[in-house]
Amino acid sequence: MENRIRELRAIHRWSQAELGEQLNVSRQTINALETGKYDPSLPLAFKISKLFALPIEQIFVPAEQ
Amino acid sequence: MKLDISPRVLYIHVKLPWHLEVAHKENPMFPTATRQSRTALIAYFLILLVTPTLVTLSKDHWWRYALVLIPLIPVFYMQRLELQNLSRMDELQRKIQLEALVFAYYGTAALVLIYGFLELAGLPKTTMFAAAGALIILRLIGWYITDRKYQ
């Protein structure tokens, strides 16, 4: 699955640590999400969606699309 | 691991590989968890120092069987701490710990089986304590490998 977290984080000018703090996860988790090494759980995906005020499907895109 | 004993300080320094230190420190509960684990570890070593003497002194009494099991108290405490720490981790950290535990579990099982068969072939008998050591070492190796995967 691909995502726009890095792009959205850059728009808000947040560091990985700052974003992690807001989502209550570690910087390593943010990095793993951005590099596509880890796909978030549904609750975390909803938290990310709420934080960026965007629908989930505008942040996460299945790899085949 | 360094044991530093002075009149006012009893402290055990456990040095993790650098990137595990960084990853673990990102866990907001790290300082509390480390302090508690350190206390449990110190208690374990102190009890280990005292228990053999107590067992020798009470070798003709039935309670020596209970005395030799005293070091298990801090071990159970460490188990409780570990479970508490796990519940405070974020989902990726939990996944890393789970993969490390699976690595350690099957690694230890493989080592025990391998050495068991080698004993049948003539290698000297070993103690069951070795399995606990292997489990801890393989857990750390598994943690290191899995953690690198998500860096």
Side-chain angles (χ1 to χ4, degrees), chain A residues 26 28-29 37-38 41, chain B residues 26 90-93 147 151:
Chain A
S26 64
Q28 185 186 19
T29 303
K37 289 177 182 168
Y38 175 68
S41 66
Chain B
E26 283 175 2
D90 73 29
E91 54 187 61
L92 177 61
Q93 302 303 324
D147 196 73
Q151 285 294 319

Side-chain angles (χ1 to χ4, degrees), chain B residues 9-78:
Chain B
V9 182
L10 175 59
Y11 208 77
I12 295 178
H13 306 268
V14 181
K15 187 78 184 148
L16 290 171
W18 68 270
H19 87 279
L20 289 185
E21 285 271 1
V22 172
H24 206 165
K25 275 178 183 161
E26 283 175 2
N27 178 354
M29 294 314 295
F30 178 76
T32 317
T34 312
R35 209 177 313 122
Q36 289 172 329
S37 306
R38 210 174 267 154
T39 308
L41 207 60
I42 290 168
Y44 176 74
F45 283 117
L46 287 177
I47 291 171
L48 267 192
L49 287 175
V50 177
T51 306
T53 315
L54 292 175
V55 172
T56 312
L57 288 174
S58 52
K59 66 176 181 181
D60 296 327
H61 302 285
W62 63 267
W63 59 76
R64 68 185 183 280
Y65 297 110
L67 282 175
V68 292
L69 296 177
I70 289 176
L72 284 179
I73 297 168
V75 171
F76 287 130
Y77 180 61
M78 277 191 261

Side-chain angles (χ1 to χ4, degrees), chain B residues 111-123:
Chain B
L111 283 177
V112 168
L113 284 173
I114 289 167
Y115 201 82
F117 290 129
L118 290 173
E119 274 182 353
L120 292 177
L123 278 189

Side-chain angles (χ1 to χ4, degrees), chain B residues 76-151:
Chain B
F76 287 130
Y77 180 61
M78 277 191 261
Q79 181 197 33
R80 202 178 126 230
L81 287 179
E82 182 119 17
L83 288 170
Q84 280 177 352
N85 197 29
L86 209 58
S87 68
R88 290 167 185 148
M89 288 178 182
D90 73 29
E91 54 187 61
L92 177 61
Q93 302 303 324
R94 271 189 218 146
K95 186 177 162 68
I96 289 171
Q97 293 303 323
L98 176 68
E99 288 183 27
L101 283 170
V102 170
F103 178 87
Y105 176 84
Y106 282 99
T108 308
L111 283 177
V112 168
L113 284 173
I114 289 167
Y115 201 82
F117 290 129
L118 290 173
E119 274 182 353
L120 292 177
L123 278 189
K125 293 265 181 212
T126 186
T127 165
M128 280 173 72
F129 287 116
L135 185 68
I136 293 166
I137 291 166
L138 287 172
R139 164 96 190 271
L140 286 173
I141 294 170
W143 185 11
Y144 180 81
I145 293 169
T146 321
D147 196 73
R148 282 192 73 92
K149 199 168 88 178
Y150 294 106
Q151 285 294 319

Side-chain angles (χ1 to χ4, degrees), chain A:
Chain A
M1 192 160 65
E2 288 163 11
N3 66 69
R4 294 173 54 213
I5 295 175
R6 191 187 293 270
E7 176 197 330
L8 294 166
R9 181 173 62 78
I11 292 169
H12 288 79
R13 297 184 180 186
W14 291 330
S15 67
Q16 288 184 334
E18 284 167 341
L19 178 58
E21 213 168 288
Q22 295 189 68
L23 295 168
N24 203 23
V25 296
S26 64
R27 188 206 56 79
Q28 185 186 19
T29 303
I30 300 297
N31 187 55
L33 288 169
E34 287 184 356
T35 51
K37 289 177 182 168
Y38 175 68
D39 290 331
S41 66
L42 202 51
L44 181 57
F46 272 112
K47 272 170 103 173
I48 294 168
S49 155
K50 192 178 171 191
L51 184 68
F52 290 121
L54 285 171
I56 284 183
E57 61 270 25
Q58 281 189 29
I59 302 174
F60 299 98
V61 186
E64 65 269 19
Q65 281 185 19

